[in-house]
Amino acid sequence: MSGSAHSTVLSGARVVLPTGTVRGGRVIVTGDRIAGSAPEGAETVDLSGHWLIPGFVDMHNHGGGGASFTSGTPEEVLRGVATHREHGTTTLVASTVTGDLDELARRAGLLAELVQQGDLAGIHFEGPFISPCRKGAHKEDLLRDPDPAEVRKLIDAAHGTARMVTLATELPGGLDSVRLLAEHGVIAAIGHTDSTYDQTRQAIDAGATVATHLYNAMPGMEHRAPGPIAALLEDERVTVELINDGTHLHPAMLELAFHHAGAGRVALITDAMDAAGFGDGIYHLGPLEVEVRDGVARLVEGGSIAGSTLTLDTAFKRSVTLDRLPVESVVEAISANPARLLGLYDRVGSLEPGKYADLVVLDADFDLKGVMRHGEWIVNPLG
């Protein structure tokens, strides 16, 4: 960072820091980073009456702005990224859906280039190594058991940019694939699974650390068959993803996860598809046709929920208003926790000196008013 980099003091807001909320706080931005001090005469932006929080980190996202991360051109992928940035997501992992293995490997190569350019934070493979019993919006004839050699093919195709693979770990090869991913520093996520409680515990012991959209696409809890949900909620090694859009989860189940796992083990995600930030209509999620009506995405054939049209600013507002969760807990779940999981917490996920100046400005009603990424306003709170 050069000594001549421009400095701005953002003052007067309620600033949410890792240590708590500071009223009338200030954040100093110099160049693309948060700084510890400001030079004399630095520009000041008055954000009184607002909240200043870290930029959102979405570790499970299939697209937006009419663009699919699974099938779009690089230009279309960037349009989807830009759409989510306008809604506060300053760090985003691109998720794929089930497809032909060779095609997924080619797609990984394309997305890897965007990671290397700094536009994406990594790649998440959701499928094809998932259960046909819990396939959701994945094409059944393309599903396959998690053969470690095939899992290795995908992560190799990502050239070091693979961040997470979702697996039904009870399938043949599941536990060996979990071990392979852990050895390569890739998150093994349990999801789209028909696993039992004991099978889920075995997968966690093998190295699985994330629950892909907890509750969705897995057996429910029963008193004699607690299933994967109980195992995932109770284990301190696991972070649980939650889609808080009012469709995927009943508020009581959201509260259960935050209460039982604690804010430190929750990651709020969108699981967005290309309709996010774009509107109702007919779309495609991989090879499957999806209808979005009144903001809810469902498969045309069968009616399964097919991802969401959620953006994280909406998830944030819903969590602190309707669900009445503490702002600090939601910040932890929507920024800090996913940044830690992705190995990026030294750069993003909190408002601390030395990190990228990635931040979101919200008004008193928690509506988004400003977004800054790497020191540049994407949405200027001053208009």
Side-chain angles (χ1 to χ4, degrees):
M1 201 160 51
S2 70
S4 60
H6 180 75
S7 290
T8 304
V9 180
L10 308 175
S11 68
R14 292 187 182 189
V15 181
V16 181
L17 302 173
T19 51
T21 299
V22 178
R23 292 174 179 265
R26 67 179 200 159
V27 172
I28 300 161
V29 177
T30 299
D32 63 355
R33 304 277 175 163
I34 296 171
S37 60
E40 194 173 335
E43 175 193 6
T44 298
V45 175
D46 184 6
L47 295 177
S48 299
H50 291 75
W51 291 84
L52 197 55
I53 62 176
F56 307 140
V57 180
D58 194 353
M59 56 188 278
H60 186 158
N61 187 316
H62 297 278
S68 166
F69 297 153
T70 297
S71 59
T73 64
E75 293 74 22
E76 289 169 337
V77 172
L78 291 175
R79 186 172 80 235
V81 171
T83 296
H84 284 284
R85 284 182 185 170
E86 290 167 0
H87 290 274
T89 298
T90 49
T91 301
L92 184 148
V93 171
S95 302
T96 63
V97 295
T98 293
D100 174 79
L101 202 66
D102 289 336
E103 177 54 37
L104 283 173
R106 285 191 291 273
R107 169 64 24 177
L110 181 151
L111 293 173
E113 292 185 16
L114 298 179
V115 179
Q116 289 152 5
Q117 289 173 199
D119 297 301
L120 295 170
I123 303 170
H124 163 219
F125 296 102
E126 187 179 21
F129 311 113
I130 60 175
S131 172
C133 303
R134 304 284 174 175
K135 64 182 185 297
H138 293 256
K139 202 165 189 299
E140 186 165 355
D141 61 3
L142 293 173
L143 301 182
R144 50 213 299 143
D145 290 338
D147 179 339
E150 293 187 340
V151 174
R152 177 67 186 268
K153 176 179 178 176
L154 283 190
I155 62 174
D156 285 349
H159 304 299
T161 66
R163 295 288 175 264
M164 182 162 65
V165 178
T166 295
L167 308 161
T169 53
E170 75 278 9
L171 296 175
L175 295 182
D176 285 339
S177 291
V178 168
R179 295 183 188 102
L180 171 79
L181 291 167
E183 287 167 10
H184 285 81
V186 179
I187 296 166
I190 301 172
H192 288 275
T193 177
D194 207 36
S195 184
T196 66
Y197 175 84
D198 289 331
Q199 287 171 329
T200 305
R201 285 177 59 91
Q202 289 175 344
I204 297 167
D205 286 340
T209 57
V210 166
T212 291
H213 43 53
L214 186 75
Y215 305 118
N216 300 114
M218 60 181 66
M221 288 189 289
E222 296 182 22
H223 60 296
R224 292 192 186 92
I229 294 170
L232 293 162
L233 279 176
E234 73 184 11
D235 199 297
E236 294 293 326
R237 295 168 289 182
V238 176
T239 298
V240 298
E241 293 181 347
L242 298 174
I243 309 168
N244 191 15
D245 61 352
T247 299
H248 280 78
L249 296 179
H250 189 283
M253 302 310 279
L254 181 91
E255 183 183 4
L256 176 71
F258 268 90
H259 176 78
H260 204 74
R265 290 205 293 117
V266 171
L268 291 174
I269 61 163
T270 60
D271 193 18
M273 45 88 72
D274 37 352
F278 204 65
D280 289 358
I282 299 294
Y283 296 85
H284 285 85
L285 191 60
L288 299 176
E289 195 171 51
V290 175
E291 181 181 15
V292 177
R293 185 185 299 173
D294 299 327
V296 178
R298 293 187 180 275
L299 290 183
V300 171
E301 187 175 333
S304 289
I305 293 176
S308 83
T309 61
L310 185 64
T311 53
L312 282 181
D313 57 333
T314 299
F316 189 98
K317 179 172 180 173
R318 182 181 180 86
S319 298
V320 298
T321 56
L322 293 174
D323 300 308
R324 301 185 181 280
L325 292 167
V327 170
E328 296 80 5
S329 296
V330 181
V331 167
E332 197 171 357
I334 211 165
S335 300
N337 295 341
R340 285 193 192 97
L341 282 166
L342 297 169
L344 299 174
Y345 192 65
D346 60 331
R347 284 163 273 176
V348 299
S350 66
L351 301 178
E352 295 176 273
K355 294 191 177 185
Y356 281 119
D358 290 1
L359 51 88
V360 172
V361 180
L362 305 170
D363 66 14
D365 296 321
F366 300 102
D367 289 318
L368 184 141
K369 294 299 178 184
V371 181
M372 177 181 282
R373 183 177 187 272
H374 291 196
E376 299 285 338
W377 288 115
I378 293 169
V379 178
N380 194 321
L382 303 180

